[in-house]
Amino acid sequence: EGGAGGRREMEAAAPARSCWAPFPAWWGLLRGLLLAVLAAGSCHGNSVERKIYIPLNKTAPCVRLLNATHQIGCQSSISGDTGVIHVVEKEEDLQWVLADGPHPPYMVLLDGNLFTRSVMLQLKGTSRVSGLAVAVAKPSPPQGFSPGLQCPNDGFGVYSKDYGPQFAHCNRTLWNPLGSGLSYEDFAFPIFLLEDANETQVIKQCYQDHNVPRGGAGPQYPLCAMQLFSHMHAVTSTVTCMRRSSLQSTFSINPEVVCDPLLDYNVWSTLQPINSSGKVDPEKEVIMVATRIDSHSFFWNIAPGAESAVSSFVTHLAAAEALHKASDAHLLQRNVMFTFFQGETFDYIGSSRMVYDMEKEKFPLRLSNIHSFVELNQVALRNGSVLWMHTDPISRMNQTIEPQIKNLLDILSNSSRGANVTLQEAGYSQPLPPSSFQRFLRARSIPGVVLTDHRSAFHNRYYQSMYDTPEAIGVQYPQGLSPEETLEYVTDTAKALAEVATVVARALYQLAGGASDTSAIQADPHTVTRMLYGFLIKMNNSWFQSIIKPDLKGILGDVPQHYVAVSSPVNTTYLVQYVLANLTGSVVNLTKEECLNPEKSPSTEKELYDYSWVQGSLEPNSTSRVPFCVRSTVHLSKALSPAFELRQWGSTEYSTWTESRWKEIRARIFLVASKELEIITLVVGIVILLFSLLATYFINAKADVLFSSPRDPAGAVAY
């Protein structure tokens, strides 16, 4: 019993057996060092990546779009595409990429002046190219550049085999002769735009240091390489991707949507308030004024649209302001509706939806309420003072419609007297250019006119491209101006567009039944120049800041873009909405609570007006603002193609454009070793791994021998 008690005492006094017990000093130190290394690795795991890769942060990808029958755009493989960089600055440099270079596949850094259809089809037709980075051409290509179609929105306008077949498919007039159709090609490799000249120079320097062929022989490793990530989830067509998304939504708890319809909102307002939730009386007549507010280019969200969109909707906004200032505007016999369509670039999304809603009586107006239609198209590049009036030759064969069209043209021509604008008819044999008005004519014969700066082919050499910039329409500022001075500087382009807006406003006044002298109706060049600066140069300016809601200040990015996208409303829509409210609305004496909840105040007539609590201007020498309430007749209506409401994803009547979803978009450069060195490194790594595993196995098997502690003699005697 005593012996047993002694053993129990000894076991209690001895420390618990541990793998660390035989070597507490040095092994504990090693364990601490190992834990410290692991902790440092978890905190700074990306430091090695930062030393290997140089990220390219100012890029814009080409993404995949789909319609009822096709997919267009670009994508990378799911893990990104990599290739050795080769700079192509002249067509002769393509030979190295297409045939001579010993290190395919190549990532081509292409000079912007070579970004043409012929060059791109050569690169598309070879397996030696894994991707493309395009440098912006400065100055813009003098010969012009348009990746759009030569016949924009073909098949979705009014002309068809049943209506004016001689004008269908641009048989009579090729509107965009410079159109290469590049934006509507499908590329199996990623293509990125390099927006920052400094990043472009970094890539070129890396190429010069490592990749330039020397002495007729290929460059030696390591080589400078680029990796582009832009894998797209959607494939084939809108029919396929929408069906897959629909099945996912039906049967999956966490559905994975692969594409989204292009959508946004149309902006509209009326000269005299109407009940936005009711219906206008059938006998009421309305003059409809329209323009588009979206544009497009080859690269995602790069759509400056200076001539194709901004010139027209800025003129439209200025005309709306001028007409609202007429003293008897509220007494006019006919109402005027100012309409700004979204998504028109993609087969008339906005206008086709408004026509659909009018036909289904989901809109306050019916098609029968429209007395006449005036559309502002591209208007900034006039030859001299001439502005062309386009009408539909088929409508003019109708004996009822022809006199109304003639009256419309006469009023427009008379309104230009005394102004630096000369309006001329394009002629009976000339069809309508691509325009929203065509979608209304498909539904009903309406007297209408489309105003443009071109009689036949577009004057715009950069239609639907990244070069449709302020410089392309002559917007120039003196050197040395501050941002605030630039905002207020009245350019020659602003003066010219204000003259067009004046003519339009005076014509609308007369069309609406106004009988007074129109000389007092005058568009403000100062307003036009501020809009041009905000929509073309810098959205984040003091004027835009003062006219939007406080919770929308995040929409004011630096560089304006006018792509319709899939998240709505986009910045352009919001800003057109609030600029229109600012120019045509009035400041009312309401508190913030009353302005945000007008239905609580019976005197606000909520069904007739929209109320907005806006930030206001900065107080002098202060960072605080003076907010106020704006009352206007501005409203939004959905700009989603009826094809998606009807689930007719293969429709040929309505737009079916969708945008693929993606996981990540990024680009980076780095040095790549030769295949031989990579294989050697891999083999050596495997050998070291196997040796480590064997060593660990044998050490573990002999642990009792290697790590046993000698018996303590003193302890043995004491026992």
Side-chain angles (χ1 to χ4, degrees):
E1 190 177 341
R7 280 197 300 274
R8 281 195 295 271
E9 267 183 27
M10 183 179 176
E11 289 170 0
R17 178 106 179 151
S18 167
C19 60
W20 310 105
F23 31 88
W26 65 270
W27 189 255
L29 181 63
L30 181 61
R31 178 180 63 169
L33 181 61
L34 179 62
L35 292 174
V37 169
L38 290 174
S42 64
C43 295
H44 305 285
N46 62 350
S47 61
V48 174
E49 180 179 353
R50 288 200 302 269
K51 291 178 180 178
I52 296 175
Y53 299 104
I54 298 177
L56 304 174
N57 299 316
K58 293 285 290 182
T59 61
C62 160
V63 303
R64 175 168 290 165
L65 300 175
L66 310 98
N67 64 10
T69 55
H70 293 82
Q71 65 180 28
I72 63 172
C74 324
Q75 78 154 356
S76 73
S77 62
I78 195 167
S79 57
D81 288 331
T82 304
V84 174
I85 295 171
H86 190 74
V87 176
V88 175
E89 295 181 324
K90 53 186 183 298
E91 287 207 42
E92 292 76 14
D93 297 335
L94 289 171
Q95 183 63 24
W96 184 268
V97 173
L98 299 175
D100 298 344
H103 306 300
Y106 285 97
M107 278 284 176
V108 177
L109 174 55
L110 188 68
D111 184 88
N113 290 296
L114 294 177
F115 188 48
T116 63
R117 183 176 182 85
S118 61
V119 170
M120 291 302 297
L121 291 183
Q122 290 183 67
L123 298 176
K124 182 180 179 180
T126 178
S127 60
R128 291 172 56 88
V129 173
S130 59
L132 196 68
V134 180
V136 178
K138 292 185 178 180
S140 301
Q143 72 276 13
F145 173 76
S146 174
L149 298 172
Q150 292 186 331
C151 188
N153 291 355
D154 185 24
F156 290 87
V158 69
Y159 302 113
S160 66
K161 61 182 178 61
D162 301 318
Y163 187 98
Q166 67 272 33
F167 303 125
H169 312 300
C170 298
N171 286 335
R172 188 64 60 87
T173 305
L174 202 60
W175 295 106
N176 185 32
L178 291 176
S180 65
L182 266 183
S183 290
Y184 296 85
E185 290 285 336
D186 183 38
F187 294 93
F189 50 78
I191 303 176
F192 279 53
L193 176 69
L194 301 174
E195 299 182 76
D196 188 347
N198 292 329
E199 289 187 344
T200 303
Q201 189 55 44
V202 168
I203 299 171
K204 288 183 176 180
Q205 188 61 52
C206 187
Y207 167 80
Q208 291 288 339
D209 293 343
H210 300 278
N211 295 11
V212 174
R214 305 186 192 282
Q220 300 299 310
Y221 285 98
L223 299 174
C224 191
M226 181 183 293
Q227 189 172 30
L228 302 178
F229 297 85
S230 63
H231 181 67
M232 300 288 129
H233 294 175
V235 295
T236 308
S237 67
T238 288
V239 176
T240 301
C241 78
M242 289 299 292
R243 184 176 65 243
R244 289 178 178 175
S245 297
S246 179
L247 288 172
Q248 285 271 344
S249 300
T250 303
F251 298 108
S252 176
I253 298 175
N254 297 308
E256 182 179 347
V257 177
V258 296
C259 68
D260 301 283
L262 295 181
L263 63 96
D264 204 81
Y265 287 89
N266 299 322
V267 183
W268 63 275
S269 74
T270 51
L271 184 64
Q272 300 160 4
I274 62 173
N275 189 339
S276 60
S277 59
K279 292 287 180 293
V280 173
D281 293 339
E283 66 275 8
K284 293 288 186 181
E285 294 182 325
V286 177
I287 315 297
M288 193 165 186
V289 196
T291 192
R292 67 176 58 189
I293 58 175
D294 69 296
S295 187
H296 179 45
S297 81
F298 186 88
F299 298 99
W300 182 74
N301 207 29
I302 301 295
E307 163 73 340
S308 61
V310 177
S311 68
S312 58
F313 75 70
V314 161
T315 304
H316 188 170
L317 288 164
E321 179 192 32
L323 186 56
H324 268 269
K325 288 181 177 179
S327 58
D328 57 343
H330 62 290
L331 301 174
L332 293 175
Q333 176 186 349
R334 299 184 184 97
N335 206 345
V336 179
M337 179 176 170
F338 305 98
T339 315
F340 301 81
F341 291 120
Q342 261 287 15
E344 295 300 273
T345 302
F346 296 95
D347 300 336
Y348 305 119
I349 293 173
S351 56
S352 63
R353 179 52 186 263
M354 184 169 284
V355 171
Y356 174 82
D357 287 343
M358 287 181 175
E359 290 178 320
K360 301 298 181 183
E361 297 200 353
K362 297 180 180 180
F363 194 80
L365 268 67
R366 303 173 181 86
L367 288 169
S368 58
N369 290 120
I370 301 176
H371 171 270
S372 52
F373 199 106
V374 178
E375 179 168 354
L376 284 160
N377 212 305
Q378 303 178 66
V379 294
L381 298 176
R382 289 182 288 150
N383 280 337
S385 62
V386 177
L387 197 65
W388 294 97
M389 300 183 291
H390 299 263
T391 55
D392 174 36
I394 308 300
S395 296
R396 302 193 72 167
M397 296 178 186
N398 185 320
Q399 298 303 312
T400 304
I401 300 295
E402 164 61 13
Q404 300 177 57
I405 295 177
K406 187 64 177 171
N407 178 60
L408 175 58
L409 297 176
D410 289 342
I411 289 176
L412 280 164
S413 297
N414 293 335
S415 299
S416 66
R417 291 176 182 171
N420 189 26
V421 179
T422 304
L423 282 103
Q424 295 185 16
E425 288 188 55
Y428 276 88
S429 62
Q430 184 77 24
L432 286 171
S435 53
S436 306
F437 180 40
Q438 292 199 33
R439 290 302 301 193
F440 285 80
L441 280 179
R442 281 176 71 127
R444 183 183 176 89
S445 291
I446 300 171
V449 62
V450 178
L451 302 177
T452 73
D453 54 22
H454 54 89
R455 182 177 186 178
S456 53
F458 295 162
H459 289 169
N460 184 4
R461 293 174 298 149
Y462 306 110
Y463 183 73
Q464 290 187 6
S465 88
M466 56 190 170
Y467 301 114
D468 191 5
T469 58
E471 294 77 16
I473 61 171
V475 176
Q476 297 178 334
Y477 300 95
Q479 294 290 328
L481 295 183
S482 67
E484 202 63 28
E485 291 170 337
T486 309
L487 172 67
E488 303 296 339
Y489 181 81
V490 180
T491 63
D492 291 340
T493 303
K495 294 174 184 176
L497 293 180
E499 289 170 349
V500 175
T502 297
V503 171
V504 172
R506 291 174 179 176
L508 293 174
Y509 176 81
Q510 294 181 60
L511 282 169
S516 302
D517 180 36
T518 60
S519 59
I521 299 177
Q522 189 76 39
D524 185 1
H526 183 251
T527 300
V528 175
T529 206
R530 291 201 294 178
M531 288 191 287
L532 288 174
Y533 180 80
F535 286 112
L536 290 176
I537 309 295
K538 187 176 182 181
M539 281 187 168
N540 194 13
N541 61 74
S542 60
W543 185 46
F544 279 5
Q545 290 168 8
S546 69
I547 63 175
I548 63 171
K549 292 180 178 180
D551 58 344
L552 292 178
K553 58 186 177 183
I555 70 171
L556 297 177
D558 280 336
V559 182
Q561 304 296 346
H562 307 294
Y563 173 59
V564 59
V566 296
S567 58
S568 59
V570 296
N571 300 7
T572 304
T573 303
Y574 272 130
L575 289 170
V576 168
Q577 177 189 4
Y578 285 101
V579 168
L580 183 59
N582 178 268
L583 298 180
T584 63
S586 58
V587 177
V588 290
N589 187 22
L590 294 178
T591 65
K592 181 179 180 180
E593 180 66 23
E594 292 171 334
C595 191
L596 295 176
N597 302 281
E599 65 278 358
K600 295 181 179 179
S601 303
S603 61
T604 56
E605 300 178 290
K606 169 63 177 172
E607 67 280 1
L608 298 179
Y609 296 101
D610 179 77
Y611 292 83
S612 302
W613 185 257
V614 301
Q615 289 194 120
S617 302
L618 288 170
E619 292 181 328
N621 303 318
S622 173
T623 57
S624 60
R625 296 183 176 274
V626 185
F628 56 91
C629 186
V630 174
R631 185 183 73 177
S632 71
T633 61
V634 180
H635 305 279
L636 299 180
S637 66
K638 191 176 292 186
L640 169 66
S641 171
F644 298 101
E645 293 279 319
L646 302 170
R647 296 176 68 85
Q648 296 176 358
W649 303 319
S651 173
T652 56
E653 170 71 13
Y654 299 112
S655 171
T656 55
W657 285 105
T658 54
E659 181 185 273
S660 174
R661 289 195 177 187
W662 58 80
K663 184 177 180 181
E664 63 175 345
I665 298 287
R666 61 191 176 102
R668 60 189 184 181
I669 63 172
F670 56 96
L671 294 181
V672 62
S674 66
K675 294 294 183 184
E676 293 79 6
L677 180 57
E678 290 178 347
I679 292 172
I680 292 171
T681 303
L682 176 63
V683 170
V684 170
I686 292 172
V687 170
I688 292 174
L689 174 64
L690 293 174
F691 177 78
S692 301
L693 291 174
L694 288 172
T696 302
Y697 172 78
F698 284 114
I699 290 173
N700 184 63
K702 302 295 182 180
D704 290 341
V705 177
L706 294 173
F707 303 121
S708 61
S709 56
R711 196 176 183 85
D712 186 354
V717 172
Y719 177 74

